[in-house]
Amino acid sequence: MKNIAIILAGGSGSRFGADMPKQFLKVAGKMIIEHTIEAFERHPLIDEIALVSRKDFIEEMEQLAPKNGYTKLRKVLCGGKERYHSSLAAIEAYTDNDDCLLIHDGVRPLISERVITDCIKALESFDAVDVAVPTTDTIIELSEDGSISRIPQRRLLRNVQTPQCFRRGTIAKAFELALKDPAFFPTDDCSLVHKYLPETPIRVVEGESTNIKITYPEDLALAERMLG
């Protein structure tokens, strides 16, 4: 059994508006993807790292390990058009159903050692683990005509982050069932377990407000302040 960090770095960065995928943009002297890899590289409980990239950036990603001396980055995999294609590529790259896969966004470079540790410890008792923080705003649900139909209690709501973590056999089974479903709609990995393996409890680990996903230019400025 191994603890394997799966870093998804196949995004195009279209919402960011840059002329290159945002994972290659520099913040605090390094590319965003380098900061993300290094958070898992230096964690003592992580055994291996796999990076999932767009096909046209595989060569650049393969240079990261020799360039930076990463010893845990063992696989660079080709993802697909949708996020779930990248998760699936990583799941299929491993065969031991007891392996623990920590699936993380490549553009969340501020993931902390504490969150990684809590996820790994939670996988000792649960087959699926999510990371989330309390929702700070009131959430409303709309009806089809645009009026409010429901206002859930905020104290029960959470904003999901990553990593989302699984025993390899659990997430592989969820994908197997999802891909047989004609009504399958791509969503995040924990949602697949929740929908297709409803008997499997998903443990929620407390995330951190600093574990931001860099999506817009203002996020890059915030990350620069926190990493600098």
Side-chain angles (χ1 to χ4, degrees), residues 40-146:
F40 292 95
E41 172 78 19
R42 62 178 173 257
H43 196 287
L45 298 180
I46 292 294
D47 299 301
E48 184 174 329
I49 299 170
L51 195 57
V52 188
S53 172
R54 282 172 46 178
K55 183 178 181 180
D56 47 340
F57 287 100
I58 290 287
E59 186 174 341
E60 286 87 340
M61 293 297 190
E62 288 177 337
Q63 295 304 311
L64 291 176
K67 171 191 170 186
N68 295 292
Y70 301 145
T71 61
K72 296 181 181 180
L73 179 53
R74 310 282 173 76
K75 289 182 171 66
V76 176
L77 307 168
C78 184
K81 181 179 179 182
E82 301 288 346
R83 185 185 193 279
Y84 82 91
H85 291 131
S86 295
S87 293
L88 191 57
I91 292 162
E92 291 177 342
Y94 293 93
T95 58
D96 189 336
N97 283 333
D98 287 329
D99 280 345
C100 298
L101 306 183
L102 288 76
I103 303 175
H104 187 65
D105 296 324
V107 289
R108 286 189 191 268
L110 289 149
I111 179 67
S112 72
E113 180 175 324
R114 194 275 300 169
V115 171
I116 296 170
T117 299
D118 286 356
C119 287
I120 291 171
K121 289 188 178 299
L123 284 170
E124 294 174 3
S125 303
F126 294 85
D127 289 341
V129 175
D130 209 348
V131 174
V133 292
T135 298
T136 56
D137 297 319
T138 297
I139 303 296
I140 60 174
E141 184 176 321
L142 301 183
S143 60
E144 290 296 329
D145 65 3

Side-chain angles (χ1 to χ4, degrees), residues 178-197:
L179 294 174
K180 291 177 181 176
D181 180 3
F184 167 58
F185 182 80
T187 183
D188 68 78
D189 301 310
C190 273
S191 295
L192 290 185
V193 173
H194 181 70
K195 180 174 182 178
Y196 295 101
L197 299 174

